[in-house]
Amino acid sequence: MDHFELRNGELHAEDVPMARIADEFGTPVYIYSRATLERHARVFREALSGLEKPPHLAFAVKSNPNLAVLRVMQREGFGADVVSGGELARALAAGMPASDIVFSGVGKTGAELAMGLDKQIGQFNLESEEEGIELSEIAAGKGQTAACALRVNPDIDAGTHEKISTGKADNKFGVPIDLAVSMYLRLAEMPGLEMRGLAVHIGSQLSDLRPLEQAFEKIGALMQQIRNQGGTVTHVDLGGGLGVPYRAGEVMPSPAEYGAMVARVTKGWDVTLMFEPGRVIAGNAGVLLTRVVRVKRNGNRVPFVIVDAAMNDLARPALYGSWHDFDAVAPTGDRMVANIVGPICETGDTFATDRPTDALERGDLAIFRTAGAYGATMASSYNSRGFVAEVMVDGDKVASVADRILPAEITAAERVPEWLD
Ligand code: LLP
């Protein structure tokens, strides 16, 4: 459920007419709904109320790193799952306690590991023995011990798009499950590490709970083996990955079904479970508002609706062939079939092909739905377009939460060396 609905024939973001947002902030612009973010955060927490111990919830910052979004999550009691020094700095800037921050990622640099130690974050999710050795050295040098989980690759096909699958043996993530026991026990001996747990994340936009369940069962068995050999496991991080509906009417496993499955599989584990949801919180809490530049009719062919948003603003359709529902802000009831495209000079800059849609004309406003996760965060300035603006609504209030970065501001960071004069 979200708060982007038609009222008196016009799309609103909560109580704010979208046309007003376009007038005030220009287009393209991402719109986030505070009420929707909060609702999703609460539904997720509630879905896990049947666990034996209160879980640790860490919002996946990569899905939407906007400071205002992070602040909403912080107020909902979420910590953060970060994958870079930049994300770590954002989570802290948004007021998240360092102890609630988990640092994931396969390529944390020495400088990033040191930053995590200096900020005294809650947990490092190690993705290799090499990383553990390096972290131990840095931590010991600072007289610290780093609380760590070992991310395990369970070799399970998540059944999602190959570019966002992370749990197959040939993916770069985690350590092979057959090597994990001995590696865990070796790392536990390192002076700068406190090995306290395991982590797993097999992919994103999962539409089926079974691969997750299989992965969690494998982690449970691994945990037992480690304990049998004298290792300590007090925390298990079950990652993120829950899919969301991108098309009206599409049914996805609900947070409640997910929570019930987790409670069943992890019964008796005697650990604090940790979660890293991103898309399920932020996905349907955001839309991308765009204006039609013109409609190009090539004789009898399917017309091109050319909008002012492009693949640099919302990369998912170009990158993964993803579907985003597309709706007019002021639908007349008339319909058309169109190719929805942006202005960028690549055929890949296509949001939808042969899409039945509301009839649109030059100057009309429309939205791409389910753009709150992996939207603005994946924007670029390709074709020397600026970085897209972001606003948040709260009831009848609306505020800029990220100003548009203009092409001139980007050019200002560039230099022509004097030897080219
Ligand atoms: N934890 C880890 C270790 C992850 O790698 C990810 C996502 C998450 C948590 C959050 O997963 P979520 O709950 O959002 O599914 N750009 C792609 C998605 C990439 C996801 C990367 N990892 C897309 O637009 O679909």
Side-chain angles (χ1 to χ4, degrees):
M1 209 211 95
D2 62 49
H3 291 78
F4 304 108
E5 288 168 338
L6 281 173
R7 286 192 199 168
N8 307 321
E10 230 201 298
L11 275 175
H12 284 58
E14 300 193 18
D15 300 332
V16 184
M18 292 202 189
R20 198 182 112 202
I21 295 176
D23 286 347
E24 207 170 317
F25 298 95
T27 54
V29 58
Y30 279 93
I31 308 173
Y32 307 131
S33 153
R34 175 182 178 177
T36 311
L37 284 167
E38 288 176 347
R39 187 188 137 77
H40 292 171
R42 288 169 198 177
V43 165
F44 194 81
R45 184 183 293 286
E46 177 61 27
L48 297 169
S49 57
L51 299 180
E52 292 168 325
K53 288 190 189 179
H56 179 272
L57 304 181
F59 177 62
V61 172
K62 67 173 81 68
S63 68
N64 190 325
N66 183 275
L67 286 179
V69 170
L70 298 185
R71 177 60 64 85
V72 172
M73 298 310 296
Q74 181 263 330
R75 291 171 65 113
E76 288 298 313
F78 278 60
D81 159 49
V82 303
V83 294
S84 69
E87 287 193 353
L88 172 53
R90 279 174 177 275
L92 292 170
M96 283 164 169
S99 57
D100 286 348
I101 297 176
V102 179
F103 203 157
S104 308
V106 71
K108 303 176 204 78
T109 62
E112 287 174 322
L113 294 172
M115 179 181 175
L117 289 166
D118 291 341
K119 302 294 181 193
Q120 302 197 314
I121 63 163
Q123 179 172 301
F124 291 85
N125 284 357
L126 303 177
E127 300 242 9
S128 63
E129 185 161 17
E130 292 83 352
E131 183 191 350
I133 293 168
E134 189 172 342
L135 177 61
S136 175
E137 278 167 13
I138 302 171
K142 291 175 182 286
Q144 286 179 254
T145 37
C148 294
L150 184 62
R151 178 167 176 186
V152 175
N153 185 320
D155 194 18
I156 282 178
D157 185 351
T160 184
H161 193 284
E162 65 171 71
K163 287 189 185 167
I164 55 176
S165 287
T166 52
K168 286 288 289 170
D170 51 1
N171 295 142
K172 68 181 172 179
F173 300 98
V175 304
I177 192 155
D178 55 321
L179 305 180
V181 176
S182 52
M183 196 183 292
Y184 191 96
L185 296 171
R186 280 197 300 276
L187 288 167
E189 297 297 314
M190 313 255 2
L193 306 184
E194 180 218 336
M195 290 307 295
R196 68 173 198 179
L198 296 167
V200 65
H201 172 82
I202 61 170
S204 194
Q205 185 56 10
L206 271 57
S207 55
D208 185 354
L209 293 179
R210 276 171 304 183
L212 281 172
E213 181 163 352
Q214 286 164 10
F216 298 167
E217 276 167 356
K218 283 191 168 191
I219 295 301
L222 178 65
M223 179 187 73
Q224 275 316 330
Q225 284 175 275
I226 291 172
R227 284 180 172 164
N228 291 345
Q229 300 200 32
T232 303
V233 179
T234 56
H235 291 72
V236 177
D237 184 339
L238 297 180
L242 203 52
V244 302
Y246 276 85
R247 300 183 194 216
E250 192 179 4
V251 179
M252 283 285 160
S254 68
E257 289 164 324
Y258 172 79
M261 179 275 281
V262 170
R264 178 162 44 77
V265 175
T266 63
K267 199 162 184 305
W269 281 18
D270 191 25
V271 293
T272 297
L273 291 174
M274 306 171 73
F275 297 87
E276 302 173 348
R279 191 187 320 257
V280 72
I281 307 285
N284 278 306
V287 299
L288 175 59
L289 177 63
T290 185
R291 197 181 284 283
V292 177
V293 176
R294 69 180 55 85
V295 179
K296 175 171 170 176
R297 296 177 208 280
N298 288 337
N300 292 332
R301 298 178 182 84
V302 174
F304 291 97
V305 170
I306 306 168
V307 296
D308 65 0
M311 64 188 282
N312 72 302
D313 306 306
L314 177 64
R316 304 191 69 259
L319 258 184
Y320 318 116
S322 326
W323 177 289
H324 286 260
D325 275 351
F326 182 71
D327 294 312
V329 165
T332 57
D334 292 339
R335 304 280 295 169
M336 70 192 293
V337 172
N339 298 323
I340 320 287
V341 300
I344 281 184
C345 297
E346 284 202 26
T347 301
D349 187 21
T350 296
F351 292 110
T353 305
D354 293 335
R355 177 77 69 92
T357 185
D358 295 316
L360 288 161
E361 288 299 337
R362 175 162 67 104
D364 287 347
L365 293 168
I367 58 168
F368 293 103
R369 291 186 183 267
T370 321
Y374 307 110
T377 181
M378 291 171 67
S380 76
S381 65
Y382 186 40
N383 273 210
S384 289
R385 293 164 53 86
F387 278 95
V388 60
E390 300 163 73
V391 303
M392 183 178 284
V393 295
D394 177 12
D396 60 1
K397 294 198 290 283
V398 53
S400 167
V401 293
D403 294 342
R404 196 176 302 285
I405 297 179
L406 301 172
E409 295 174 74
I410 299 168
T411 322
E414 297 179 19
R415 305 279 172 267
V416 178
E418 60 188 34
W419 41 259
L420 278 178
D421 278 352

